[in-house]
Amino acid sequence: MDHSHHRRLQASEMSEATLRGATIYGADNQEIGKVSHLHGQGPSAQVIIDIGGFLGIGAKPVAVGMASLDFMRDENGHVHAVTLWTKHDLEQMPEHQHHH
């Protein structure tokens, strides 16, 4: 997939409503996972990504900084992100614990 023509999201679009469900593509253009939810807002937010699994079953949530993800829209307007992480990198990260 060629992401060079995709439009980068504006800071005002970096909200959970916009980003939830966005597909994350790794360094090798492999689909890594999908955005589950955000902690915080804007550039300093933590993005919680569900890695692997199928329909949320067996998925492992990990938290990465917004700055390490490049969010954009494709030709059809679908939000997705590209990161320098690989799926293997994220699978090695500690599981994100939900704090209530």
Side-chain angles (χ1 to χ4, degrees):
M1 186 183 313
D2 179 8
H3 298 283
S4 61
H5 301 296
H6 295 166
R7 187 175 66 74
R8 298 300 187 271
L9 293 193
Q10 304 301 311
S12 61
E13 295 179 283
M14 298 294 189
S15 66
E16 186 160 316
T18 302
L19 303 182
R20 181 183 290 145
T23 301
I24 309 294
Y25 293 96
D28 47 10
N29 239 338
Q30 180 183 21
E31 188 174 319
I32 292 180
K34 295 201 183 311
V35 175
S36 166
H37 58 282
L38 302 186
H39 283 292
Q41 198 71 28
S44 62
Q46 289 275 296
V47 182
I48 314 307
I49 301 172
D50 283 331
I51 311 287
F54 181 66
L55 299 179
I57 299 167
K60 171 185 168 181
V62 298
V64 299
M66 181 73 82
S68 64
L69 299 168
D70 193 9
F71 282 100
M72 60 192 84
R73 290 181 193 272
D74 67 14
E75 294 81 1
N76 301 315
H78 295 132
V79 176
H80 60 288
V82 179
T83 181
L84 297 176
W85 300 102
T86 64
K87 189 167 187 174
H88 180 75
D89 290 332
L90 293 186
E91 284 170 344
Q92 303 307 307
M93 292 172 81
E95 185 164 337
H96 173 72
Q97 303 298 328
H98 297 282
H99 300 292
H100 295 293

